[in-house]
Amino acid sequence: MDAIRSIVQRLRVSSRACERQLGLSSAQLFVLQQLDQAAAASIAELAQRTLTHQSSVSVVVTRLSERGLVARRASAEDARRTEISLTPAGRALLRRAPRTAQADLIAAVDRLPADERRGLAQSLTTLARALGAGDEAPPLFFEGDEARPGAGAEDCEDREES
């Protein structure tokens, strides 16, 4: 349990610092950092690069677009696809941004030997299912929780703190 608490705490502290420093969620910063490496040819590609579901990335990209940090445009090759890239304002923001805990977490997992990654994935999947999670696509870390009224409230009801 201590390891899970430590990881969640690192993600939470990073997220709060990002919001305080930049006015963005850590998920939004993580998406910006992925786009800084290369523009995305589609939401699906960006979802793959962020290791999350298309719907989650789409919500984040919409928020970033509304703030003028990313640009969306129809692909010249396939009008059904939306290309996503950083705007000058997005690049300027990134110059003062810290590295995200999500990026550190992904890098740490990637450094694990393949058999350990598979075992970790299986164990975490089993744990998520035992908790009743895992049936729907989760958002990026700490993205959107504040937007849902009562989000997380069910976790506090009828339970004593352990």
Side-chain angles (χ1 to χ4, degrees):
M1 280 307 290
D2 286 345
I4 291 173
R5 285 186 193 110
S6 294
I7 292 167
V8 170
Q9 176 67 11
R10 170 78 165 88
L11 291 166
R12 183 175 290 126
V13 166
S14 173
S15 180
R16 286 182 184 150
C18 181
E19 288 176 26
R20 211 173 29 255
Q21 202 174 341
L22 304 170
L24 295 176
S25 71
S26 58
Q28 291 168 344
L29 177 57
F30 181 59
V31 168
L32 287 176
Q33 289 172 335
Q34 293 302 306
L35 290 170
D36 190 40
Q37 294 176 13
S42 67
I43 290 288
E45 178 194 325
L46 189 54
Q48 185 177 27
R49 286 170 39 195
T50 59
L51 306 175
T52 193
H53 194 269
Q54 290 180 18
S55 62
S56 298
V57 172
S58 181
V59 168
V60 171
V61 168
T62 296
R63 290 179 180 163
L64 293 170
S65 178
E66 289 169 353
R67 292 196 53 185
L69 300 173
V70 300
R72 299 166 116 174
R73 69 169 196 261
S75 169
E77 298 166 7
D78 183 350
R80 295 171 297 179
R81 272 195 341 225
T82 300
E83 295 175 348
I84 306 112
S85 60
L86 286 177
T87 63
R91 287 190 197 290
L93 184 137
L94 281 176
R95 284 194 290 274
R96 58 187 176 94
R99 183 170 164 86
T100 61
Q102 290 95 316
D104 292 341
L105 178 61
I106 290 167
V109 171
D110 282 346
R111 286 191 301 271
L112 294 173
D115 60 329
E116 286 186 39
R117 278 195 312 270
R118 279 190 297 277
L120 179 62
Q122 289 172 338
S123 295
L124 290 174
T125 298
T126 300
L127 180 59
R129 287 186 181 137
L131 293 170
D135 291 337
E136 57 186 53
L140 289 153
F141 288 112
F142 302 106
E143 179 63 24
D145 290 340
E146 71 287 345
R148 292 186 352 248
E154 67 278 0
D155 294 329
C156 298
E157 296 173 359
D158 300 321
R159 291 191 191 173
E160 292 181 23
E161 188 152 330
S162 51

